[in-house]
Each structure stands twice: as C-alpha cells, then as structure tokens.
Amino acid sequence: MIAACFVLGLLVGSFLNVVIHRTPVILDRQWRRQCDELAGRETPEAPRYNLVVPRSACPSCKAPIRAIHNVPVLSWLALRGKCAACKAKISPRYPLVELLTAVLSAAVAWQFAPLGLPVMGAAIVLTWFLIALTFIDFDTQLLPDALTLPLLWLGLAASVLGLTPVEPRSAIIGALAGYLSLWSVYHLFRLATGKEGMGYGDFKLLAALGAWLGWQMLLPIILLSAAVGAVTGIALIVVRGGRDRNVPIPFGPFLAAAGWIALMWGPQIVSGYLGMYGRGM
C-alpha cells in the first residue's frame, strides 16, 4: 500500500506542477477579462487555456513535451535537467515537487492505512491540496479560492461521511473559528499599524484546516506556523543584511506545513504537551 501510494504520489505530483504553474495564469486571465467587461472594452479572443489544454511545453522553445519525456523524476534525470529539443535548463523544482508529493503520500499511507482505505485516501487528498497551495503562495502570494474553498467543503463533507476522526460539530466550529481568528488578527493589525499583515486566503486556508482537523488543532497550527514563520523571517533579515524588511513573506506555506504536521501527529503533540504541563503542576 505504501509503495502504491508512493508511485501514485509521483504521478499526482506531475499534475500538481501543472496546477501550480497554470492556476495563477488562469486567474490573471479571468481578472483581466472581468476588468475589460467593467470598463466596457471588448475582450480579445484568446486560445483555450486550462489545466488540460494546451499540452505541457518547454518554457524556452515551446516544444511540446513528449510522453516519454514526462515520466516523473526519471525523465528529468535521464535528460540531465535539460529540454530534449533545445537543451535549455529545466528547473529542478519540477522533480522535487513530484518527489515531495510521493514521499508525503507514502507517509500518510503509513500513518493512516490502519484506519481504512477511505480515511487514508481523504488524508492524502488533503496533503495534495496543501502542496499545491504552498507552492502557489510561495510563487505569487496568492491562495486561490479555486483551491481553498473546495478544500473547506471537502473537509466538512469528509467529517459528515466519517472519513476523518473529527465529528461534524467540531469540523464546523473549526471552520468558523479558523476563519474568524485570523480575520480578527488581520483587522487588529491593520488598525494598529495601518498595514495589511496577511491576505484573506490565509483565513480561508485555516478555516479549511479547521474543517479537516477540528477546532482543537487550531491553536497548535497557529503556534507552529507562527514560530516557523518568525524564524524564517529573522533568517531572511539576517541574510539580507537588514535590508528589504518590508518585503512580504507568504504565510500560507507555514500554515500548510503546520496543518500537515497536525494531521500526522497533532493528537500526540497535544497530549505530550498536556502531559508535560501536568507533570509540571
């Protein structure tokens, strides 16, 4: 089962590369079309562009990628990270995303297989969404509604169908509390500083995590993501020599990472902390 999920993760990771690259482009085209409509301008006809069409192509020479050259990880290694047509370098991030998806999928299978195939499958789907959202936010500082809102509804549906250990009541409260907690922090920060500390996509992502993991996991997720984000921010300031402190750092990747850790080991982390607290008392 673990090996099968690893192979499936490689294949899905290849598709996630498409999602990560094309979703922001699709959104940009939609926004431009809406702006043209509001301005009363005629939108020029554009070639069809979605997650399926057109075929994947080399970013440099635009040559379509043949199926034999699209095997996850192996094709990149066989071609030595270069386009088969023009020999331009291909970013190593593509095989890394594929390998990351495979490893995390296998880890989820190892953890959740004893609970049954449906529960394991639901946890793997959550993992795939988090990977896509992490890289999109890292690239563009966007957490698209096209991903966060379906993830939220899937979490609530999984709870109702018994695909997660979270009861529907806890999932609903988790979604509400997840959204409102960061929404409150956002507005308090804006009132205090006059700046926007995060985007609305962060609210929706935490709401989705609350739906999947329950309200009990929200505080560990926020604390863990804030700690990692603070360390990363300080490290970037040190590396940059104190310059560019106003350059925003996307918070979504830290939320996604903390959410995945809570998915895998959340109850153990909470019980361990409470146990230490109890001994301290």
Side-chain angles (χ1 to χ4, degrees):
M1 179 66 71
I2 294 173
C5 288
F6 182 88
V7 174
L8 178 62
L10 287 174
L11 298 175
V12 173
S14 180
F15 175 70
L16 291 184
N17 276 320
V18 177
V19 174
I20 293 165
H21 174 74
R22 296 193 182 190
T23 299
V25 178
I26 294 171
L27 291 176
D28 181 73
R29 293 188 176 195
Q30 290 176 350
W31 294 333
R32 291 179 183 275
R33 186 162 52 249
Q34 291 169 1
C35 289
D36 288 340
E37 292 176 357
L38 291 173
R41 296 190 297 264
E42 185 176 349
T43 304
E45 197 68 30
R48 188 179 177 188
Y49 189 89
N50 52 44
L51 297 180
V52 179
V53 178
R55 288 177 53 191
S56 298
C58 170
S60 298
C61 67
K62 308 303 180 184
I65 298 176
R66 298 170 55 192
I68 192 63
H69 296 150
N70 207 23
V71 179
V73 179
L74 296 179
S75 290
W76 189 89
L77 293 174
L79 294 171
R80 298 182 180 181
K82 297 179 181 179
C83 172
C86 68
K87 306 304 178 183
K89 290 185 177 180
I90 299 176
S91 172
R93 200 178 82 170
Y94 294 110
L96 289 177
V97 169
E98 294 165 352
L99 192 58
L100 176 66
T101 306
V103 170
L104 296 189
S105 299
V108 171
W110 170 76
Q111 182 83 331
F112 287 91
L115 300 180
L117 185 60
V119 174
M120 183 194 73
I124 290 178
V125 168
L126 170 59
T127 300
W128 294 342
F129 269 88
L130 294 179
I131 292 172
L133 287 166
T134 293
F135 284 94
I136 291 175
D137 196 22
F138 182 80
D139 289 340
T140 65
Q141 297 185 5
L142 293 173
L143 290 171
D145 288 351
L147 293 177
T148 55
L149 296 184
L151 184 61
L152 169 61
W153 289 111
L154 284 173
L156 295 175
S159 175
V160 172
L161 296 174
L163 301 181
T164 68
V166 179
E167 297 180 353
R169 176 185 175 89
S170 179
I172 295 172
I173 295 175
L176 292 172
Y179 188 90
L180 292 176
S181 58
L182 288 188
W183 180 88
S184 302
V185 171
Y186 166 85
H187 285 286
L188 289 173
F189 183 83
R190 191 180 66 171
L191 289 174
T193 65
K195 300 179 181 179
E196 297 182 354
M198 63 183 67
Y200 277 70
D202 297 317
F203 315 161
K204 298 167 188 175
L205 176 55
L206 187 57
L209 291 173
W212 277 90
L213 306 176
W215 63 268
Q216 297 90 341
M217 287 294 109
L218 289 177
L219 184 58
I221 290 173
I222 292 175
L223 292 177
L224 183 59
S225 59
V228 177
V231 171
T232 302
I234 293 172
L236 289 175
I237 290 175
V238 172
V239 170
R240 293 168 179 169
R243 295 173 294 178
D244 298 330
R245 296 192 180 191
N246 292 324
V247 175
I249 300 174
F251 190 50
F254 306 123
L255 276 178
W260 190 80
I261 292 173
L263 168 71
M264 296 289 287
W265 303 288
Q268 295 91 321
I269 293 174
V270 172
S271 61
Y273 171 78
L274 293 178
M276 293 175 57
Y277 179 79
R279 287 193 296 270
M281 293 295 289

